[in-house]
Amino acid sequence: MDDSGLLCCEVNVEWLNKQGILNRKLSSKKASLRILRGNTQQIFIEISVEKVAPVKLSFSKDTQVHNKFMKDGKSSIRFPSENATVFISNAPPEKLRGFLKTIFIKMTNGKALPKVSTTLRNQVLLHKPSQYEDISPVTDGEIIKAVRKANGKSTDTTPSPLAGRKRKIERSSTDKAPAAKKLYSELPLQEHTLDDEQMNILNACLSGQNIFFTGSAGTGKSFLLKKIIGALPPDVTVATASTGVAACHIGGITLHQFAGIGGGDARIERCIELASKPPIVTIWRKCKHLIIDEISMVDGTYFQKIEEVARKIRKNDKPFGGIQLILCGDFFQLPPVAKQVPGEKKFSGSRFCFQTEAWNTCRLITFELQNVHRQTDKRFISILNRIRLGKVDEDVTNTLKETAKQNIEGDGILATRLCSHTKDADIINETKLKALEGQSKIFEAEDLIPGTTKQLDNQTPVPGRLELKIGAQVMLLKNVNVSAGLVNGARGVVKDFRNGLPLVQFKNKKEYLAQREQWIVKTAGGASLTRKQIPLKLAWAFSIHKSQGLTLDCVEMSLGRVFEAGQAYVALSRAQSLEGLRVHDFKSSQVWANPEVISFYKTLDQMRIIPLGVNRNATNKVNIKSRPVKKSFKKLMMEKPIVTIQ
Ligand SMILES: Nc1ncnc2c1ncn2[C@@H]1O[C@H](COP(=O)(O)OP(=O)(O)OP(=O)(O)O)[C@@H](O)[C@H]1O
Ligand SMILES: [Mg+2]
């Protein structure tokens, strides 16, 4: 049964007397709230806490619901007729959202709609023979639709009566329940829903076990991670990622910021000392669920160190001091940035997290997502899956070579070039902007707290200083209108400046007068830093490293200078379709997978923990190739040569 009428959270209820003085109080860190319907159809909220009889407060037309901090798991509901206020905190944000939506629907439905007959209601909802009935967020309109569908009558063919009624509801709900109307309009837009495999992983995460989920690029790992974050209590959940941009994508902080041990290069005793300082220590102790996105880029030695720090700081011998770990990433994508210990020539420590003892002691339950959502073309998905494993056959080579001739530009929007080196991307953007005629317009970001610019530069995708001209190639950095296709990653060109703001035309021909948008990032201490800026960035070129996690609709690349295993795969898998991709001078030697990653995924497959493609697709024919690897890696690589499976 739908449980959106049920919420587990921290609660404070305050009753005031007529003079506004606190009369009675109820507080609990572990309360459960239910929305119920009484025999007289009256809607109640029932608050149950241990050792106290449940409290019931009844909704009326003057009930006020405050949802401004819903994303942080906080809300308050005021019942003026009973002089009481319910303060909700530490509620899983997604659950809270569903709970408040149920209240909204019941508040407006009850007043604005003609009643649906009990028979109809019982056909759809479970009837409870008790004095109170659990309620669901189903509207009367939805009940009618569901019953008609069950009876084989399509509701689509009878639009007028329902549509007319819906309009009436909207009007009358504005008249009769303004608070509820406001609440509903402020609820975030529902985007896609989780598919079955994503849902399984969400449930596994909610069961409290340590989880690692992987999957090829575009299988919705980050998308799912956001839903997982939304389903966990925010006060005890820390969402992190290995890079600032990835952290911003899931509304979290970098793992380095959270852990508070700098780069982790110091000896373990010093690392523990560093993490024992406030406010870092408080967060380490409070944390019950640690989420890490883009785990492939977390250095193994660092991962091992924070595991020990966690045990010592929390004075708990369980792995990670008893914190639940939720790890997500694809080790076939970018590896950790190579680290060289000062004074030592050798690359130091474990390269990947999965090679550490800490990884083994955590006993992670592993899943692999199989459904690719970024691309829809089955042929392109199959090509990308082969590239992920370093398998480049004739079909892959020919298909990618053919893209070199494609004209993917349209309406003045040029393809974004992905570069293997960050410097190259910066130079391209600077030179192209300079070459445009016309006046530059500079947009300086408004960083609300002085001195936070560097951190915001690192943690948000949006530049502190944005220089634009008419004709500048740009990328949108926010979902400003999902249904119009104005989404994060959409490519456009600056057509004009109106009232000092850039007018951008996108690939789908939609125009958008860019307004300042807001980015809020968290500090390790839990404070919020805010940057306001035009949600655009120059897009003639990006580095492949900066493009990790992105979805791009018009992209070109030359992979001649790639230097990491998985780098070509990351670049190619940013494209949404073969039609929106152009690869120059493609050669099979530009694609290779790390042999240690291949072995790791094979062990997972052998353990039958997850179904994987490595064993099934790889043949025994293995070509050993020498790669243009980074100097600091060379010694390591001499022992274990990089291979390409063909
Ligand atoms: N269940 C879903 N239904 C529809 N679209 C989805 C679903 N899950 C993810 N998507 C969409 O698929 C695209 C890719 O998702 P996402 O960026 O989360 O993939 P990822 O696995 O993290 O990729 P990468 O490995 O490149 O970081 C996004 O546009 C996302 O909104
Ligand atoms: Mg991702």
Side-chain angles (χ1 to χ4, degrees), residues 221-222 293-294 549:
K221 298 183 292 298
S222 302
D293 195 6
E294 303 289 7

Side-chain angles (χ1 to χ4, degrees), residues 174-390:
T174 318
D175 299 342
K176 293 190 179 177
K181 175 80 187 170
K182 184 167 177 280
L183 165 70
Y184 190 63
S185 65
E186 282 176 10
L187 288 171
L189 271 178
Q190 264 283 29
E191 30 171 24
H192 312 295
T193 47
L194 297 178
D195 63 18
D196 288 350
E197 53 178 22
Q198 291 170 325
M199 195 58 104
N200 272 343
I201 299 175
L202 171 67
N203 288 334
C205 291
L206 295 180
S207 75
Q209 301 172 85
N210 287 339
I211 305 288
F212 162 54
F213 64 93
T214 184
S216 56
T219 44
K221 298 183 292 298
S222 302
F223 174 78
L224 168 61
L225 213 47
K226 281 193 252 179
K227 299 281 177 190
I228 293 169
I229 296 164
L232 290 168
D235 289 8
V236 291
T237 303
V238 182
T240 73
S242 50
T243 68
V245 174
C248 185
H249 196 50
I250 57 162
I253 57 175
T254 63
L255 182 61
H256 283 74
Q257 274 177 293
F258 161 70
I261 59 166
D265 300 326
R267 288 156 59 99
I268 186 70
E269 296 76 18
R270 175 72 186 135
C271 289
I272 294 166
E273 205 178 294
L274 286 170
S276 304
K277 290 183 184 160
I280 301 289
V281 65
T282 320
I283 300 150
W284 264 119
R285 293 210 175 122
K286 219 173 152 189
C287 176
K288 285 191 183 158
H289 317 274
L290 175 61
I291 290 166
I292 311 178
D293 195 6
E294 303 289 7
I295 187 73
S296 72
M297 291 178 81
V298 176
D299 177 67
T301 316
Y302 181 81
F303 184 75
Q304 180 74 33
K305 258 197 185 142
I306 59 170
E307 194 279 326
E308 190 170 347
V309 167
R311 271 185 286 123
K312 296 281 157 53
I313 297 247
R314 294 167 61 84
K315 299 187 176 52
N316 181 332
D317 288 339
K318 289 188 186 151
F320 266 89
I323 294 176
Q324 182 198 11
L325 278 195
I326 299 171
L327 311 179
C328 155
D330 177 17
F331 285 102
F332 282 106
Q333 296 186 41
L334 292 172
V337 175
K339 227 186 208 177
Q340 216 171 331
V341 173
E344 283 183 35
K345 279 189 185 159
K346 241 170 59 183
F347 171 75
S348 100
S350 311
R351 189 159 140 77
F352 292 105
C353 289
F354 62 76
Q355 295 172 312
T356 62
E357 207 190 312
W359 183 277
N360 293 331
T361 57
C362 288
R363 297 185 170 274
L364 294 149
I365 300 187
T366 306
F367 294 86
E368 182 173 55
L369 291 167
Q370 304 277 339
N371 300 336
V372 175
H373 294 280
R374 183 173 288 133
Q375 296 88 9
T376 48
D377 174 4
K378 291 221 162 63
R379 183 159 162 251
F380 189 32
I381 291 173
S382 150
I383 286 174
L384 289 174
N385 281 339
R386 278 174 274 169
I387 286 175
R388 178 171 181 248
L389 305 179

Side-chain angles (χ1 to χ4, degrees), residues 293-514:
D293 195 6
E294 303 289 7
I295 187 73
S296 72
M297 291 178 81
V298 176
D299 177 67
T301 316
Y302 181 81
F303 184 75
Q304 180 74 33
K305 258 197 185 142
I306 59 170
E307 194 279 326
E308 190 170 347
V309 167
R311 271 185 286 123
K312 296 281 157 53
I313 297 247
R314 294 167 61 84
K315 299 187 176 52
N316 181 332
D317 288 339
K318 289 188 186 151
F320 266 89
I323 294 176
Q324 182 198 11
L325 278 195
I326 299 171
L327 311 179
C328 155
D330 177 17
F331 285 102
F332 282 106
Q333 296 186 41
L334 292 172
V337 175
K339 227 186 208 177
Q340 216 171 331
V341 173
E344 283 183 35
K345 279 189 185 159
K346 241 170 59 183
F347 171 75
S348 100
S350 311
R351 189 159 140 77
F352 292 105
C353 289
F354 62 76
Q355 295 172 312
T356 62
E357 207 190 312
W359 183 277
N360 293 331
T361 57
C362 288
R363 297 185 170 274
L364 294 149
I365 300 187
T366 306
F367 294 86
E368 182 173 55
L369 291 167
Q370 304 277 339
N371 300 336
V372 175
H373 294 280
R374 183 173 288 133
Q375 296 88 9
T376 48
D377 174 4
K378 291 221 162 63
R379 183 159 162 251
F380 189 32
I381 291 173
S382 150
I383 286 174
L384 289 174
N385 281 339
R386 278 174 274 169
I387 286 175
R388 178 171 181 248
L389 305 179
K391 277 182 69 179
V392 184
D393 53 28
E394 224 172 284
D395 176 39
V396 171
T397 308
N398 292 342
T399 310
L400 292 181
K401 275 189 165 170
E402 266 168 34
T403 64
K405 300 176 218 147
Q406 291 196 133
N407 183 10
I408 56 175
E409 281 83 5
D411 290 326
I413 294 157
L414 307 175
T416 295
R417 178 173 271 256
L418 292 184
C419 305
S420 45
H421 294 73
T422 312
K423 230 178 166 184
D424 296 351
D426 292 345
I427 292 171
I428 293 175
N429 284 330
E430 271 168 38
T431 326
K432 296 274 185 188
L433 187 71
K434 241 185 199 162
L436 286 178
E437 286 173 6
Q439 281 269 313
S440 282
K441 257 199 166 299
I442 313 280
F443 299 90
E444 298 282 357
E446 285 172 31
D447 297 339
L448 296 197
I449 303 172
T452 55
T453 301
K454 211 171 156 207
Q455 190 171 347
L456 284 161
D457 279 348
N458 189 23
Q459 271 188 266
T460 65
V462 64
R465 184 178 186 276
L466 175 69
E467 184 178 349
L468 294 176
K469 283 181 184 172
I470 293 177
Q473 298 291 317
V474 289
M475 187 177 90
L476 188 59
L477 298 169
K478 273 253 164 166
N479 289 343
V480 290
N481 185 343
V482 177
S483 52
L486 302 183
V487 293
N488 194 355
R491 277 297 326 281
V493 59
V494 177
K495 282 275 162 197
D496 202 355
F497 291 100
R498 298 225 177 119
N499 302 325
L501 296 170
L503 179 75
V504 182
Q505 192 214 299
F506 286 89
K507 203 159 175 265
N508 65 3
K509 300 195 167 40
K510 290 268 180 322
E511 284 193 349
Y512 161 61
L513 186 62

Side-chain angles (χ1 to χ4, degrees), residues 133 224 438 494 526 551 572:
E133 182 190 357
L224 168 61
V494 177
T551 303
L572 292 163

Side-chain angles (χ1 to χ4, degrees), residues 103-147:
I103 294 176
F104 157 73
I105 288 168
K106 293 307 159 188
M107 279 171 76
T108 50
N109 219 19
K111 293 170 190 60
L113 273 179
K115 286 273 169 296
V116 163
S117 80
T118 317
T119 330
L120 268 183
R121 181 176 296 281
N122 293 346
Q123 273 182 274
V124 179
L125 303 172
L126 269 180
H127 185 64
K128 287 207 159 193
S130 58
Q131 192 188 355
Y132 294 102
E133 182 190 357
D134 276 314
I135 63 171
S136 89
V138 179
T139 62
D140 284 356
E142 283 164 341
I143 291 172
I144 294 167
K145 272 191 187 178
V147 172

